[in-house]
Amino acid sequence: MTVSYSLTLPRGWHRFSPQGDFDEQVHRLGRQFTATDRDAAAAVLSRQRFGTAMGHVRETARQAGALDLFAFVGPSRTGLGPMSLVTSVVHLGACIAASPESPPTVGAAGSTTILETAGGPCLRVLARASTDVGTWWRALAGHLTDLEPGRDDVSLSSEDDRRVLSTADVGYAIDIPGHRGSQLMLSFSTIGGPFVGAQIDHGDSIARTLTWT
């Protein structure tokens, strides 16, 4: 199925195609991050780590059938942290636009509402969760060790270890014109801490710009 759509993304967001020349996209973006000292050994290593990490993300998105992968990598004047957005096609069977009073479920736990976008009404499912920084950091440290064997671990203070970290996942499903029962899914994820509410609003603002081209 061919799906042609458009999203308006604020500054700091970058689009990656899981099927396109991903290495070149990541290489170009990595050089932007280290533009002040491109040839330093630390800058080269930083670009390598970024490319490896993004490669894992791309492969996960590709295997999930993603159309496009968008990542917010800043810089941000608002303090908004890391966010990602993945688009894919789902088949809910029902027509969202025909039943806004009783939207179909998508198998995700959380609050379900209808959000109006430029391309029509979409089903919005929000799931929020909390974890402690220690648990989140140990999972991240394990991933970094896989990327760079021998990497030294960074210990956290007991206060930081217990600090609560908020996360959110928002799914937006909108009917694809001409394909009844099939929807374009926008999967928005973020780790926000005190900014998670603002990040959810940020995701909503992007979803509202969706149009068909």
Side-chain angles (χ1 to χ4, degrees), residues 61-101:
R62 188 189 66 79
Q63 291 181 7
L67 299 176
D68 291 299
L69 167 65
F70 304 89
F72 180 80
V73 291
S76 170
R77 297 177 182 175
T78 62
L80 296 179
M83 296 174 281
S84 66
L85 179 67
V86 177
T87 61
S88 58
V89 173
V90 296
H91 306 282
L92 302 182
C95 181
I96 293 171
S99 55
E101 297 300 324

Tab-separated table of all heavy atoms in Angstrom, residues 61-101:
chain	number	residue	atom	x	y	z
A	61	ALA	N	12.771	-0.273	13.775
A	61	ALA	CA	11.672	0.351	13.049
A	61	ALA	C	11.396	-0.376	11.736
A	61	ALA	O	10.243	-0.587	11.353
A	61	ALA	CB	12.010	1.823	12.779
A	62	ARG	N	12.446	-0.790	11.034
A	62	ARG	CA	12.286	-1.484	9.754
A	62	ARG	C	11.564	-2.811	9.942
A	62	ARG	O	10.653	-3.153	9.187
A	62	ARG	CB	13.644	-1.704	9.103
A	62	ARG	CG	13.570	-2.239	7.672
A	62	ARG	CD	14.935	-2.631	7.168
A	62	ARG	NE	15.476	-3.759	7.914
A	62	ARG	CZ	15.130	-5.024	7.728
A	62	ARG	NH1	14.227	-5.331	6.814
A	62	ARG	NH2	15.662	-5.988	8.456
A	63	GLN	N	11.966	-3.565	10.983
A	63	GLN	CA	11.340	-4.857	11.231
A	63	GLN	C	9.878	-4.704	11.634
A	63	GLN	O	9.070	-5.608	11.422
A	63	GLN	CB	12.115	-5.610	12.309
A	63	GLN	CG	13.505	-6.067	11.871
A	63	GLN	CD	14.234	-6.835	12.954
A	63	GLN	OE1	13.679	-7.155	14.000
A	63	GLN	NE2	15.494	-7.139	12.710
A	64	ALA	N	9.543	-3.563	12.203
A	64	ALA	CA	8.155	-3.311	12.607
A	64	ALA	C	7.316	-2.779	11.452
A	64	ALA	O	6.123	-2.502	11.621
A	64	ALA	CB	8.129	-2.317	13.767
A	65	GLY	N	7.923	-2.626	10.286
A	65	GLY	CA	7.191	-2.151	9.128
A	65	GLY	C	7.007	-0.646	9.094
A	65	GLY	O	6.041	-0.148	8.497
A	66	ALA	N	7.922	0.099	9.714
A	66	ALA	CA	7.795	1.555	9.769
A	66	ALA	C	7.946	2.177	8.391
A	66	ALA	O	8.758	1.733	7.569
A	66	ALA	CB	8.842	2.129	10.722
A	67	LEU	N	7.160	3.221	8.144
A	67	LEU	CA	7.301	4.004	6.926
A	67	LEU	C	8.417	5.025	7.080
A	67	LEU	O	9.281	5.164	6.217
A	67	LEU	CB	5.992	4.723	6.598
A	67	LEU	CG	4.754	3.851	6.350
A	67	LEU	CD1	3.534	4.741	6.144
A	67	LEU	CD2	4.974	2.942	5.145
A	68	ASP	N	8.365	5.751	8.175
A	68	ASP	CA	9.364	6.786	8.462
A	68	ASP	C	9.671	6.813	9.951
A	68	ASP	O	8.823	6.456	10.786
A	68	ASP	CB	8.870	8.171	8.032
A	68	ASP	CG	8.768	8.327	6.527
A	68	ASP	OD1	9.810	8.209	5.855
A	68	ASP	OD2	7.657	8.547	6.023
A	69	LEU	N	10.872	7.259	10.263
A	69	LEU	CA	11.315	7.413	11.645
A	69	LEU	C	11.746	8.864	11.830
A	69	LEU	O	12.561	9.381	11.060
A	69	LEU	CB	12.483	6.466	11.929
A	69	LEU	CG	13.283	6.696	13.211
A	69	LEU	CD1	12.406	6.464	14.435
A	69	LEU	CD2	14.510	5.782	13.245
A	70	PHE	N	11.175	9.514	12.839
A	70	PHE	CA	11.527	10.895	13.159
A	70	PHE	C	12.115	10.924	14.565
A	70	PHE	O	11.590	10.283	15.480
A	70	PHE	CB	10.304	11.811	13.107
A	70	PHE	CG	9.575	11.792	11.789
A	70	PHE	CD1	8.557	10.872	11.555
A	70	PHE	CD2	9.904	12.681	10.786
A	70	PHE	CE1	7.870	10.861	10.347
A	70	PHE	CE2	9.228	12.679	9.576
A	70	PHE	CZ	8.219	11.766	9.355
A	71	ALA	N	13.203	11.657	14.741
A	71	ALA	CA	13.840	11.758	16.056
A	71	ALA	C	14.068	13.217	16.398
A	71	ALA	O	14.503	14.004	15.552
A	71	ALA	CB	15.164	11.002	16.065
A	72	PHE	N	13.744	13.584	17.639
A	72	PHE	CA	14.035	14.934	18.122
A	72	PHE	C	15.392	14.890	18.814
A	72	PHE	O	15.555	14.230	19.835
A	72	PHE	CB	12.958	15.409	19.100
A	72	PHE	CG	13.214	16.793	19.629
A	72	PHE	CD1	12.886	17.905	18.874
A	72	PHE	CD2	13.801	16.980	20.873
A	72	PHE	CE1	13.124	19.182	19.347
A	72	PHE	CE2	14.044	18.246	21.352
A	72	PHE	CZ	13.709	19.358	20.594
A	73	VAL	N	16.340	15.575	18.245
A	73	VAL	CA	17.694	15.544	18.798
A	73	VAL	C	18.193	16.942	19.130
A	73	VAL	O	19.378	17.145	19.375
A	73	VAL	CB	18.670	14.854	17.823
A	73	VAL	CG1	18.367	13.381	17.731
A	73	VAL	CG2	18.601	15.482	16.436
A	74	GLY	N	17.289	17.914	19.139
A	74	GLY	CA	17.620	19.263	19.566
A	74	GLY	C	18.455	20.029	18.549
A	74	GLY	O	18.581	19.607	17.409
A	75	PRO	N	19.016	21.160	18.990
A	75	PRO	CA	18.898	21.693	20.346
A	75	PRO	C	17.509	22.256	20.614
A	75	PRO	O	16.781	22.589	19.688
A	75	PRO	CB	19.949	22.807	20.367
A	75	PRO	CG	20.018	23.266	18.947
A	75	PRO	CD	19.810	22.042	18.108
A	76	SER	N	17.147	22.350	21.902
A	76	SER	CA	15.832	22.841	22.281
A	76	SER	C	15.962	23.978	23.285
A	76	SER	O	16.626	23.832	24.304
A	76	SER	CB	15.002	21.717	22.899
A	76	SER	OG	13.824	22.233	23.474
A	77	ARG	N	15.339	25.101	22.985
A	77	ARG	CA	15.322	26.223	23.919
A	77	ARG	C	14.290	26.030	25.016
A	77	ARG	O	14.279	26.754	25.995
A	77	ARG	CB	15.022	27.518	23.154
A	77	ARG	CG	16.082	27.897	22.113
A	77	ARG	CD	15.670	29.146	21.352
A	77	ARG	NE	16.642	29.491	20.321
A	77	ARG	CZ	16.485	30.474	19.455
A	77	ARG	NH1	15.382	31.206	19.480
A	77	ARG	NH2	17.415	30.726	18.543
A	78	THR	N	13.391	25.062	24.821
A	78	THR	CA	12.306	24.843	25.777
A	78	THR	C	12.663	23.840	26.865
A	78	THR	O	11.901	23.666	27.803
A	78	THR	CB	11.055	24.348	25.044
A	78	THR	OG1	11.358	23.098	24.421
A	78	THR	CG2	10.630	25.340	23.973
A	79	GLY	N	13.782	23.142	26.712
A	79	GLY	CA	14.144	22.122	27.681
A	79	GLY	C	13.544	20.774	27.398
A	79	GLY	O	13.730	19.832	28.176
A	80	LEU	N	12.797	20.643	26.284
A	80	LEU	CA	12.203	19.355	25.946
A	80	LEU	C	13.296	18.349	25.631
A	80	LEU	O	14.229	18.649	24.891
A	80	LEU	CB	11.261	19.498	24.743
A	80	LEU	CG	10.037	20.384	24.950
A	80	LEU	CD1	9.222	20.443	23.667
A	80	LEU	CD2	9.182	19.874	26.098
A	81	GLY	N	13.168	17.169	26.198
A	81	GLY	CA	14.198	16.148	26.049
A	81	GLY	C	13.976	15.265	24.842
A	81	GLY	O	13.264	15.627	23.908
A	82	PRO	N	14.571	14.062	24.824
A	82	PRO	CA	14.506	13.176	23.663
A	82	PRO	C	13.087	12.700	23.377
A	82	PRO	O	12.338	12.341	24.277
A	82	PRO	CB	15.416	12.005	24.057
A	82	PRO	CG	15.435	12.037	25.553
A	82	PRO	CD	15.365	13.481	25.927
A	83	MET	N	12.741	12.717	22.095
A	83	MET	CA	11.428	12.256	21.650
A	83	MET	C	11.605	11.536	20.322
A	83	MET	O	12.560	11.793	19.591
A	83	MET	CB	10.465	13.435	21.461
A	83	MET	CG	10.136	14.197	22.728
A	83	MET	SD	9.122	15.693	22.409
A	83	MET	CE	10.386	16.842	21.823
A	84	SER	N	10.684	10.628	20.026
A	84	SER	CA	10.725	9.938	18.730
A	84	SER	C	9.314	9.781	18.201
A	84	SER	O	8.330	9.794	18.956
A	84	SER	CB	11.392	8.565	18.861
A	84	SER	OG	10.608	7.701	19.671
A	85	LEU	N	9.209	9.647	16.880
A	85	LEU	CA	7.922	9.467	16.221
A	85	LEU	C	8.119	8.490	15.072
A	85	LEU	O	9.006	8.689	14.233
A	85	LEU	CB	7.400	10.804	15.702
A	85	LEU	CG	6.061	10.792	14.960
A	85	LEU	CD1	4.930	10.421	15.922
A	85	LEU	CD2	5.791	12.157	14.346
A	86	VAL	N	7.336	7.424	15.054
A	86	VAL	CA	7.421	6.402	14.008
A	86	VAL	C	6.065	6.300	13.323
A	86	VAL	O	5.026	6.274	13.992
A	86	VAL	CB	7.826	5.037	14.587
A	86	VAL	CG1	7.832	3.975	13.493
A	86	VAL	CG2	9.196	5.123	15.262
A	87	THR	N	6.062	6.260	11.998
A	87	THR	CA	4.808	6.099	11.258
A	87	THR	C	4.749	4.712	10.632
A	87	THR	O	5.758	4.180	10.172
A	87	THR	CB	4.662	7.157	10.155
A	87	THR	OG1	5.740	7.028	9.216
A	87	THR	CG2	4.685	8.559	10.746
A	88	SER	N	3.557	4.124	10.625
A	88	SER	CA	3.349	2.794	10.054
A	88	SER	C	1.885	2.658	9.672
A	88	SER	O	1.064	3.524	9.974
A	88	SER	CB	3.757	1.699	11.046
A	88	SER	OG	3.017	1.830	12.253
A	89	VAL	N	1.546	1.566	9.001
A	89	VAL	CA	0.165	1.297	8.606
A	89	VAL	C	-0.402	0.194	9.487
A	89	VAL	O	0.251	-0.834	9.716
A	89	VAL	CB	0.087	0.875	7.120
A	89	VAL	CG1	-1.333	0.433	6.760
A	89	VAL	CG2	0.516	2.026	6.221
A	90	VAL	N	-1.608	0.410	10.012
A	90	VAL	CA	-2.306	-0.598	10.813
A	90	VAL	C	-3.671	-0.855	10.177
A	90	VAL	O	-4.153	-0.057	9.368
A	90	VAL	CB	-2.479	-0.160	12.284
A	90	VAL	CG1	-1.134	-0.019	12.960
A	90	VAL	CG2	-3.259	1.150	12.370
A	91	HIS	N	-4.279	-1.963	10.546
A	91	HIS	CA	-5.583	-2.334	9.985
A	91	HIS	C	-6.528	-2.622	11.144
A	91	HIS	O	-6.586	-3.745	11.650
A	91	HIS	CB	-5.443	-3.548	9.066
A	91	HIS	CG	-4.400	-3.368	7.987
A	91	HIS	ND1	-4.625	-2.626	6.858
A	91	HIS	CD2	-3.113	-3.812	7.915
A	91	HIS	CE1	-3.536	-2.632	6.105
A	91	HIS	NE2	-2.606	-3.337	6.721
A	92	LEU	N	-7.260	-1.592	11.571
A	92	LEU	CA	-8.175	-1.744	12.693
A	92	LEU	C	-9.526	-2.310	12.259
A	92	LEU	O	-10.308	-2.740	13.094
A	92	LEU	CB	-8.390	-0.394	13.386
A	92	LEU	CG	-7.117	0.297	13.921
A	92	LEU	CD1	-7.489	1.586	14.625
A	92	LEU	CD2	-6.348	-0.627	14.868
A	93	GLY	N	-9.809	-2.280	10.954
A	93	GLY	CA	-11.070	-2.806	10.454
A	93	GLY	C	-12.178	-1.772	10.459
A	93	GLY	O	-12.837	-1.554	9.449
A	94	ALA	N	-12.356	-1.085	11.596
A	94	ALA	CA	-13.401	-0.081	11.702
A	94	ALA	C	-12.946	1.221	11.038
A	94	ALA	O	-11.775	1.405	10.728
A	94	ALA	CB	-13.747	0.165	13.162
A	95	CYS	N	-13.904	2.104	10.832
A	95	CYS	CA	-13.609	3.420	10.268
A	95	CYS	C	-13.672	4.444	11.392
A	95	CYS	O	-14.729	4.646	12.001
A	95	CYS	CB	-14.611	3.759	9.166
A	95	CYS	SG	-14.344	5.342	8.373
A	96	ILE	N	-12.573	5.076	11.705
A	96	ILE	CA	-12.519	6.020	12.827
A	96	ILE	C	-13.422	7.217	12.587
A	96	ILE	O	-14.152	7.660	13.473
A	96	ILE	CB	-11.069	6.465	13.067
A	96	ILE	CG1	-10.232	5.277	13.553
A	96	ILE	CG2	-11.010	7.601	14.077
A	96	ILE	CD1	-8.750	5.541	13.626
A	97	ALA	N	-13.398	7.770	11.380
A	97	ALA	CA	-14.181	8.970	11.079
A	97	ALA	C	-15.679	8.734	11.212
A	97	ALA	O	-16.437	9.666	11.484
A	97	ALA	CB	-13.859	9.463	9.669
A	98	ALA	N	-16.129	7.492	11.037
A	98	ALA	CA	-17.568	7.200	11.062
A	98	ALA	C	-18.112	7.003	12.460
A	98	ALA	O	-19.324	7.016	12.665
A	98	ALA	CB	-17.854	5.961	10.220
A	99	SER	N	-17.240	6.795	13.452
A	99	SER	CA	-17.738	6.512	14.800
A	99	SER	C	-16.931	7.245	15.863
A	99	SER	O	-16.334	6.621	16.736
A	99	SER	CB	-17.683	5.005	15.065
A	99	SER	OG	-16.362	4.522	14.852
A	100	PRO	N	-16.888	8.602	15.816
A	100	PRO	CA	-16.112	9.348	16.800
A	100	PRO	C	-16.646	9.237	18.217
A	100	PRO	O	-15.918	9.445	19.178
A	100	PRO	CB	-16.199	10.798	16.290
A	100	PRO	CG	-17.463	10.831	15.479
A	100	PRO	CD	-17.557	9.477	14.860
A	101	GLU	N	-17.963	8.902	18.353
A	101	GLU	CA	-18.534	8.797	19.696
A	101	GLU	C	-18.076	7.525	20.406
A	101	GLU	O	-18.028	7.451	21.624
A	101	GLU	CB	-20.058	8.824	19.613
A	101	GLU	CG	-20.620	10.124	19.045
A	101	GLU	CD	-20.228	11.323	19.885
A	101	GLU	OE1	-20.164	11.171	21.116
A	101	GLU	OE2	-20.002	12.406	19.312
